[in-house]
Amino acid sequence: MNETTFLRLADVPVAGKRVFIRADLNVPQDDSGRITDDTRIRASLPAIEDALGRGAAVMITSHLGRPKEGVLTEADSLAPIAERLGALLQREVRLIRDWVNGGEWHASLTSGDLVLLENCRVNRGEKSDDTALAQQMANLCDVYCNDAFGTAHRAEATTHAMARYAPIACAGPLLAAELDALGKALGRPQRPLVAIVAGAKVSTKLTLLRTLLDKVDTLIVGGGIANTFLLAAGGRIGRSLAEADLAGEAHALLDVARDKIPLPVDVVCAKRFAADAEAVVKPVTEVADDDLILDVGPRTASANAELLAQAGTIVWNGPIGVFEFDAFSAGTRALAEAIAASPAFSIAGGGDTLAAIEKFGVASRLGYISTGGGAFLEFLEGRTLPAVAVLEERAREMRDRPTAR
Ligand code: ADP
Ligand code: MG
């Protein structure tokens, strides 16, 4: 899994070529359309700068929001992104509407040019991975480059079918870095491999729990997920967040791998779900009927820290307590710090996990932080990411028939 199985932009000669980059520029905006966080735009710069620097003409596109196919509303327009991209690159970035069939803008593209192509999800056939649309778009370029890991789990025309028809199809540096890090963590991991799967619900992470359990040496569960496991193990969890209907599933996992799944020995409880609720530390055996478990206790936190200090590889998804409330954030903070302090290669991802990493200031001390969200979870679940599979297919084809095309 961690061998080079796809072509990389850096290895493609692009001077004088038209390079089409499918990026993820889907940034959050406020009601007036102002960009509230431009991380994704900044993360997309290396691919653009590399291609431009080597003399390519660059077209870049992305989805934004959830537009209706066939209609471009102002709210769905990439106009604010063109502006921000221009500011970051200190040049004007022309935004092209109705670009699928090319036109004057395309005919006049030359080395060093950069244009932004409007929201690709507005094109009819994008979501359904339509062949005709993909072929039209592929005709616009000499090199297709996918640099959007966040949409790699979706087969859409710009993420999947287009890669099949472009003369050359490769991965951009951002996509390649994600795949390298994930491959390193799960392909041939340094052992012991310790995974933390925590957060709100077992139901959203059941496949993840099952798949990881096969691969890991230790699976630390936390949050609502740990509560469901405690319930399955015959414990009492009071009014804590849990999914009683999934206790059977949790029980089955404990049956096959009880020694791999350490459960909390102490917890922090409250009588109400509130930031100012009184926090009481107690052994897990003393949880009262009206208690809410909102964090792990200090003994559990240090047991976790010890496991993490010994690990060779760490995969982290999900906060192990209600870290948004300071009184119940100690467990997640200790976990984040233990991962940061561990010599293990670590990879973390997930919406709320990223917020926790930010809150506890450990980002720079983790091995890799995935920006993938859904794609990150699907990769961990062992699923094939269609956008990656097609790049691998093209690379195989090139190896087997190097003179074709
Ligand atoms: P991610 O987005 O990283 O995948 P999830 O969305 O699965 O994570 O879960 C994160 C949420 O779980 C957080 O908002 C956190 O407050 C909540 N949570 C964690 N532990 C508990 C708990 N014991 N009780 C209730 N909510 C919890
Ligand atoms: Mg979440």
Side-chain angles (χ1 to χ4, degrees):
M1 203 186 305
N2 41 10
E3 267 105 66
T4 310
T5 50
F6 47 85
L7 190 63
R8 293 159 191 252
L9 177 61
D11 297 327
V12 178
V14 294
K17 299 274 196 311
R18 292 163 306 182
V19 176
F20 182 108
I21 301 174
R22 170 52 159 109
D24 178 3
L25 307 172
N26 184 30
V27 290
Q29 293 168 281
D30 65 16
D31 292 340
S32 63
R34 202 175 337 198
I35 295 167
T36 53
D37 176 7
D38 67 359
T39 307
R40 284 181 172 157
I41 302 179
R42 284 185 285 107
S44 302
L45 295 179
I48 303 172
E49 286 171 331
D50 174 37
L52 285 175
R54 290 190 287 136
V58 177
M59 299 163 261
I60 176 166
T61 193
S62 170
H63 69 289
L64 179 69
R66 297 172 190 277
K68 216 175 114 196
E69 286 193 1
V71 232
L72 179 69
T73 66
E74 204 190 314
D76 296 326
S77 171
L78 298 190
I81 289 157
E83 202 174 305
R84 181 64 58 93
L85 197 55
L88 290 167
L89 291 169
Q90 301 190 346
R91 58 184 287 168
E92 202 174 324
V93 177
R94 195 172 153 203
L95 178 65
I96 316 288
R97 291 180 67 136
D98 303 320
W99 48 269
V100 171
N101 292 311
E104 179 279 323
W105 68 269
H106 184 256
S108 64
L109 270 187
T110 55
S111 177
D113 283 354
L114 170 65
V115 293
L116 180 65
L117 310 177
E118 261 297 3
N119 197 334
C120 57
R121 269 196 199 152
V122 167
N123 298 331
R124 279 186 215 277
E126 171 66 14
K127 296 274 282 178
S128 60
D129 202 22
D130 183 71
T131 301
L133 172 64
Q135 284 170 331
Q136 270 173 313
M137 295 191 296
N139 281 339
L140 297 173
C141 68
D142 303 301
V143 176
Y144 162 86
C145 168
N146 190 342
D147 207 23
F149 181 72
T151 49
H153 58 313
R154 304 222 155 95
E156 297 179 352
T158 56
T159 63
H160 181 257
M162 191 178 170
R164 205 163 263 159
Y165 302 112
I168 289 176
C170 65
L174 190 59
L175 177 63
E178 287 269 359
L179 296 172
D180 288 343
L182 287 164
K184 189 170 165 190
L186 291 173
R188 267 190 242 130
Q190 185 88 22
R191 302 239 168 218
L193 169 57
V194 179
I196 302 107
V197 178
K201 291 180 165 177
V202 171
S203 51
T204 57
K205 294 181 181 173
L206 195 57
T207 321
L208 181 62
L209 289 162
R210 283 202 199 108
T211 329
L212 282 180
L213 203 51
D214 274 347
K215 296 187 179 150
V216 302
D217 300 291
T218 303
L219 178 65
I220 296 174
V221 290
I225 294 175
N227 295 341
T228 306
F229 276 80
L230 286 170
L231 198 61
R236 287 170 48 185
I237 58 165
R239 296 190 296 124
S240 305
L241 173 68
E243 290 163 289
D245 52 329
L246 287 174
E249 287 285 350
H251 198 267
L253 294 177
L254 285 173
D255 260 355
V256 295
R258 179 65 187 91
D259 53 328
K260 278 191 186 179
I261 311 175
L263 293 177
V265 291
D266 59 346
V267 290
V268 185
C269 290
K271 299 296 181 193
R272 355 176 239 120
F273 188 87
D276 64 349
E278 191 193 350
V280 181
V281 176
K282 53 177 79 172
V284 75
T285 47
E286 280 169 33
V287 175
D289 287 344
D290 62 345
D291 270 337
L292 292 164
I293 301 172
L294 297 185
D295 195 9
V296 295
R299 284 202 293 135
T300 304
S302 46
N304 287 344
E306 217 161 287
L307 286 166
L308 294 165
Q310 312 281 323
T313 307
I314 300 170
V315 175
W316 177 25
N317 168 253
I320 58 167
V322 183
F323 74 98
E324 296 93 338
F325 298 163
D326 287 338
F328 306 97
S329 67
T332 305
R333 177 189 291 277
L335 182 83
E337 282 171 357
I339 297 172
S342 171
F345 175 68
S346 57
I347 177 157
D352 294 287
T353 308
L354 259 51
I357 289 169
E358 189 64 32
K359 176 164 177 170
F360 303 128
V362 294
S364 66
R365 293 188 289 144
L366 300 186
Y368 193 79
I369 298 173
S370 174
T371 54
F376 171 72
L377 291 178
E378 290 203 12
F379 186 99
L380 295 188
E381 285 172 359
R383 292 206 233 178
T384 305
L385 304 178
V388 178
V390 69
L391 294 181
E392 290 176 337
E393 222 172 276
R394 290 299 308 274
R396 259 198 311 278
E397 217 177 271
M398 256 178 67
R399 213 175 37 228
D400 300 345
R401 293 182 297 133
T403 52
R405 282 173 195 264

